[in-house]
Every structure is written in C-alpha cells, then in structure tokens.
C-alpha cells in the first residue's frame, strides 16, 4: 500500500509518502519520505500513483507560498529505494 499525506512541522506544511508491505512493514524510513526539499513553500493535498513495474511512486501536490497568495501543482518521483528522483 502507498500512503501520502501532508503535515505541519515547525509551522511549515510538507507532503510525505510511505509504502507499506503486505506484512505491514514500512519500506521507507519511519515517517516516510518528504516529497520536496523546498522549505519556502507549503506542499499540500498530495495524491500518489504507484507504478508496479518499477515500484516508483509519483506524487502530485498543491504548492503555495506561506501567505497562500499563489497556487501551483508540483510532482516528484520517489524511487523504489525511497529517494527523490527529480529536482525539488
């Protein structure tokens, strides 16, 4: 199963993804993989797509500045090893 969610740490929202096996073991580090390293924007409302052939996870989320005056959509590919495969 693949889970994605956003959370607030130190008043900054970031999206996270985690993969869990059928034995209920976390595949990635506990608390998952953050989808972006950009600490100046909020990363909200993530949606994940899992590709079984490569075990990659594609995560899409709404990206906003902290004053929420502008909006955009961003994407990140998370590899089977739990690393961010695209910039950001």
């Amino acid at each position: 199963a693949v889970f994605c969610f956003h959370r607030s740490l130190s008043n900054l929202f970031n999206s996270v993804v985690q993969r869990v096996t059928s034995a209920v073991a976390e595949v990635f580090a506990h608390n998952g993989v953050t989808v972006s390293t950009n600490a100046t924007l909020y990363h909200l409302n993530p949606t994940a797509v899992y590709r079984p052939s490569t075990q990659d996870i594609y995560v899409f989320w709404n990206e906003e500045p902290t004053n929420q005056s502008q909006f955009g959509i961003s994407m990140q590919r998370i590899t089977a090893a739990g690393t961010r495969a695209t910039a950001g």
Side-chain angles (χ1 to χ4, degrees):
V2 173
F3 299 93
C4 61
F5 53 94
H6 69 255
R7 65 178 177 202
S8 177
L9 292 174
S10 302
N11 203 30
L12 183 68
F13 287 94
N14 204 342
S15 291
V16 177
V17 65
Q18 178 62 271
R19 191 167 150 232
V20 179
T21 68
S22 60
V24 195
E26 295 174 331
V27 175
F28 306 144
H30 187 65
N31 292 325
V33 176
T34 55
V35 299
S36 177
T37 58
N38 184 340
T40 64
L41 298 170
Y42 287 160
H43 312 108
L44 303 167
N45 308 315
T47 299
V49 177
Y50 178 68
R51 186 175 185 189
S53 62
T54 62
Q55 297 185 355
D56 287 344
I57 301 169
Y58 296 84
V59 185
F60 301 83
W61 66 90
N62 294 332
E63 195 159 77
E64 307 172 10
T66 56
N67 67 3
Q68 298 180 330
S69 63
Q70 299 173 347
F71 304 90
I73 297 175
S74 292
M75 185 278 290
Q76 180 68 267
R77 179 171 64 96
I78 306 295
T79 68
T83 57
R84 287 179 294 273
T86 52

